[in-house]
Amino acid sequence: MDALTPELLAVACAVALLGGLVKGLVGFAMPMILISGLSMMVPPDVALGWLILPTLVTNLWQALRQGAGAAWASVRRFRRFLLAGFVLMVCAAQLVTSIPSGVLFLVIGVPMTLYAGLTLAGRPLRLPSPPGARVEYGAGAVAGFFGGISGVWGPPTVALLTALDTEKSEHLRVQGVIYGAGAVVLLGAHIASGVLNAETFKVSALLVPPALLGIWAGFAINDRIDQAAFRRLTLILLLLAGLNLLRRALFAG
C-alpha cells in the first residue's frame, strides 16, 4: 500500500513480535495487541486486515504444539462453542466497515475490563462443570461476534476456560484450537468483506515472521511458570488490554 513506509513497517513488526511473545506466554492477546497497536497508526479496518495472517499462523502452531490428536480432542469437547462462534463471526464480519471505531473499541473494551477486574478482585465468574449447552453456545456467540467485528475473540474464550479452571497446558491448546479455527473463518469472511485485499494481504504476510519469533519465545517462558502465575498473568493482560481499548474509544475520531 502507498502509505506503508519503512518506519511504519518496522513499528508494525515490533508490535507483531510483542503480540507473539504475549500469545506464547498466555495463549491469547495477539489480536488485541495488534488491533490496539496498529490502529494507532492506520484505520481499524486496515489494522484488522494486517493481523489476519500472523494470527492464523501462530494459532495453528499453538493448536498443534502437542499433536493433532490432542487438538482434535479439544475440538470435540468445545464443538458447541466453535459452532456458535463461527456462525456469528461470519455474520458480524460484514459489519466491520460500517461501525465507527469508537463504538468498536467500546464494545470490546467494556466487557473485557469488567471481567478481568472483577476476577482479580476476588469475584470470578463461576460456571457449573460441565457448563452445559446453553452456556457454551452463548459464550461462542459472544466470542464470534467480537471476532467478526474486530479480530478479537479471546476474552469470552479465556473467561470460559478460566471459569472452568482449565489446566495450563490444556488452556493454551484449547485456545489455539478455537482461535486457529476461528482465524480460518475470519480469513474467508474478510476476503468477502474486502478488509483482506491485495494491499493488506502483503503487509499481513510481512508480519508473520516476527509473530512466529515472538510466540516461540513466549512458549519458552510459559513452560517455566506455574498454574497460579499463569492465571494471574492472564487476567492482568486482559485488564490492561481492556483499559487500552477504552482509552482508544474515548479518543477515537
Side-chain angles (χ1 to χ4, degrees):
M1 59 188 298
D2 295 338
L4 183 66
T5 64
E7 294 78 12
L8 176 57
L9 179 59
V11 174
C13 286
V15 174
L17 178 67
L18 175 62
L21 176 65
V22 174
K23 180 172 180 57
L25 182 58
V26 296
F28 74 104
M30 184 173 181
M32 290 185 286
I33 290 172
L34 287 172
I35 197 73
S36 298
L38 297 177
S39 61
M40 294 180 183
M41 303 175 290
V42 296
D45 59 322
V46 175
L48 178 56
W50 287 7
L51 69 80
I52 289 175
L53 291 183
T55 299
L56 172 63
V57 173
T58 54
N59 278 320
L60 291 177
W61 185 3
Q62 182 177 334
L64 297 173
R65 191 180 181 217
Q66 295 167 322
W72 178 244
S74 296
V75 170
R76 294 179 61 187
R77 180 180 176 187
F78 290 91
R79 61 190 181 278
R80 297 185 185 95
F81 183 101
L82 289 166
L83 176 61
F86 295 164
V87 171
L88 266 292
M89 185 182 296
V90 172
C91 295
Q94 308 311 311
L95 303 175
V96 67
T97 57
S98 62
I99 299 177
S101 59
V103 174
L104 179 62
F105 294 133
L106 194 66
V107 166
I108 307 166
V110 168
M112 186 189 310
T113 302
L114 286 175
Y115 170 74
L118 288 173
T119 305
L120 285 168
R123 303 188 65 181
L125 172 68
R126 299 187 183 280
L127 295 177
S129 184
R134 290 185 179 180
V135 172
E136 291 183 17
Y137 280 129
V142 172
F145 177 78
F146 286 164
I149 63 173
S150 67
V152 176
W153 55 92
T157 303
V158 174
L160 177 66
L161 295 175
T162 303
L164 292 173
D165 197 25
T166 308
E167 188 272 330
K168 183 182 71 168
S169 61
E170 185 180 15
H171 202 298
L172 262 68
R173 183 177 68 252
V174 172
Q175 285 188 68
V177 168
I178 292 174
Y179 305 156
V184 172
V185 176
L186 191 70
L187 173 68
H190 282 311
I191 289 174
S193 74
V195 168
L196 187 64
N197 50 48
E199 293 182 342
T200 56
F201 183 92
K202 292 176 183 177
V203 182
S204 189
L206 291 173
L207 298 184
V208 170
L212 289 174
L213 179 60
I215 196 172
W216 172 80
F219 283 152
I221 299 172
N222 175 271
D223 290 340
R224 292 169 172 77
I225 63 175
D226 62 20
Q227 179 75 16
F230 169 77
R231 177 184 173 89
R232 185 164 185 81
L233 184 57
T234 295
L235 292 167
I236 290 172
L237 286 171
L238 268 182
L239 180 62
L240 291 175
L243 290 173
N244 182 58
L245 287 171
L246 293 179
R247 179 188 64 82
R248 292 287 294 149
L250 292 176
F251 294 101

